Amino acid sequence: MQTSQQKSNFPSVHKHSTPQSQLLTLDRAFDVPVEELFKAFTSSEALKAWWWPQGLYADRVDIDFRVGGRVFINMKGYDKGGGGMISTYEEIVDNERIVMTDQFADENGKAITAQEAKMPGEWPEVGYITLDFLAEGADASRLALSQEGVPNELQSDCVQGWMQSFDKLEKYLASERH
């Protein structure tokens, strides 16, 4: 796994709100060491196991986990719009932070607009996801997620989707420990 230990001078640079898009924030505790939680974000096998809400699944995950690398996750099982996502890693600090762009993608990993993805609302061309990992003792950790660019009218759906994904992440982490 290639990662960067360089910290950003502006850790909150991608934590902005607009009138149409308030910053979405979530915080979730996990009963695993922070290293195990962080690792669940670094491989295609792990992301394929838990990324996407209940009833959906990732049929393809391509990941180049390094600053400047990209991740493409293609989603299946959703008929209302959406599809996949393509991201570029802007910052990676082992066991502490991941900052990545957030764009819709077609099934081939090509970035598309929200309109092309049939998503309602006013989305930016590029959004951002910041994941902060916090150790809370030897066998506990916390994940703080910030997502910039989700239209206000879709935030409750997005929160529900992330919480369902985190439920799947919790099950994945438990299965990895046994």
Side-chain angles (χ1 to χ4, degrees), residues 9 26 29-30 38-39 45 60 93-94 105 131 150 154 172 174:
N9 294 329
L26 296 170
F30 293 88
F38 187 85
K39 188 177 177 189
E45 304 88 41
R60 179 175 163 198
V93 180
D94 285 338
L131 303 156
V150 178
L154 299 175
Y172 168 78

Side-chain angles (χ1 to χ4, degrees), residues 52 73-76 78 81-85 104-105 117:
W52 294 114
I73 305 173
N74 195 52
M75 175 178 63
K76 294 289 185 180
Y78 193 59
M85 71 170 288
F104 293 102

Side-chain angles (χ1 to χ4, degrees), residues 54-57 75-80:
Q54 191 173 357
L56 305 177
Y57 66 96
M75 175 178 63
K76 294 289 185 180
Y78 193 59
D79 60 356
K80 297 179 185 174

Side-chain angles (χ1 to χ4, degrees), residues 8-109:
S8 169
N9 294 329
F10 306 100
S12 63
V13 70
H14 295 300
K15 294 184 179 180
H16 298 289
S17 296
T18 66
Q20 70 276 2
S21 173
Q22 294 300 307
L23 180 67
L24 185 144
T25 59
L26 296 170
D27 189 81
R28 176 83 173 247
F30 293 88
D31 292 328
V32 296
V34 71
E35 296 83 6
E36 288 181 34
L37 179 59
F38 187 85
K39 188 177 177 189
F41 287 79
T42 65
S43 73
S44 58
E45 304 88 41
L47 292 175
K48 203 171 195 179
W50 69 266
W51 192 286
W52 294 114
Q54 191 173 357
L56 305 177
Y57 66 96
D59 72 331
R60 179 175 163 198
V61 177
D62 300 329
I63 187 170
D64 179 9
F65 190 71
R66 62 179 177 83
V67 173
R70 295 174 63 131
V71 61
F72 165 58
I73 305 173
N74 195 52
M75 175 178 63
K76 294 289 185 180
Y78 193 59
D79 60 356
K80 297 179 185 174
M85 71 170 288
I86 187 88
S87 298
T88 300
Y89 294 106
E90 293 203 344
E91 180 182 3
I92 297 172
V93 180
D94 285 338
N95 306 318
E96 291 182 26
R97 178 178 298 120
I98 299 170
V99 178
M100 55 201 280
T101 62
D102 182 26
Q103 291 181 272
F104 293 102
D106 67 15
E107 65 217 17
N108 299 311

